[in-house]
Amino acid sequence: MYKELISIFEKANKRFIDKNTPFIMSDVSERSLCNALAQCIFLEISNSKYSKYYVDTEYNRNNGKVKTIYNDDLKAVSIVCDLIVHSRGEIVEKDNLIALEMKKAYRKVEEKENDKARLVVLTKDSYDKVWSFDGKTLPEHVCGYELGIYYEVNRKCSSIDIEYYIKGKELKNYTLRL
């Protein structure tokens, strides 16, 4: 499944870059960039078997409650991803597909590492066997995203660094030149 999602994302990202390079280079906020990218992802998933899924920015709910994940100490902490592709709880057996975190290159290293760590946790199948999911009810804490994407915009180098995460591990990374 993750290969299909990468393909969808890469088509959407190409559309995003082709249509928005001046916008990307104008140093608009990460939220603005995520919104424009979300529109491109929505167009791609609309014509796929994932057409019942939504693309949301800054989404923080899970069945009406604030989304939470476990941190390294197994304490529940609230979570808001920059962009997610999910069913908003409508497809219980596979609610979460893509979690994307976006950063500008000039942001602090600690912020970037926190985003990457969040993607590792979000793409795990479980919290070290603590997470339970019966396939009928949404779990209390969020994980199990099929694909995590770290997306770093670098205006100075006119580039975008992309890292893919699956099952709690980095799959691959590459740099696109604008």
Side-chain angles (χ1 to χ4, degrees), residues 83-100:
L83 184 154
I84 61 174
V85 178
H86 64 142
S87 76
R88 294 183 185 162
E90 294 171 8
I91 304 171
V92 175
E93 56 277 359
K94 191 62 197 161
D95 184 35
N96 299 314
L97 296 181
I98 299 174
L100 182 142

Side-chain angles (χ1 to χ4, degrees), residues 123-177:
T123 58
K124 283 185 174 185
D125 288 332
S126 72
Y127 294 108
D128 299 323
K129 312 274 188 254
V130 173
W131 186 69
S132 63
F133 176 56
D134 62 8
K136 298 175 188 157
T137 316
L138 290 172
E140 181 179 356
H141 304 291
V142 180
C143 67
Y145 279 84
E146 288 296 320
L147 178 65
I149 302 168
Y150 178 75
Y151 196 95
E152 186 172 307
V153 178
N154 189 328
R155 274 186 50 221
K156 285 184 180 178
C157 295
S158 297
S159 65
I160 297 172
D161 292 333
I162 297 173
E163 297 176 11
Y164 293 122
Y165 292 83
I166 60 163
K167 299 198 179 290
K169 303 220 182 293
E170 184 180 333
L171 175 67
K172 71 175 183 174
N173 62 66
Y174 60 95
T175 300
L176 291 174
R177 301 285 170 211

Side-chain angles (χ1 to χ4, degrees), residues 4 16 73 107 119 127 130 140 144 147:
E4 291 173 300
F16 169 67
D73 301 323
R107 299 289 290 267
L119 292 169
Y127 294 108
V130 173
E140 181 179 356
L147 178 65

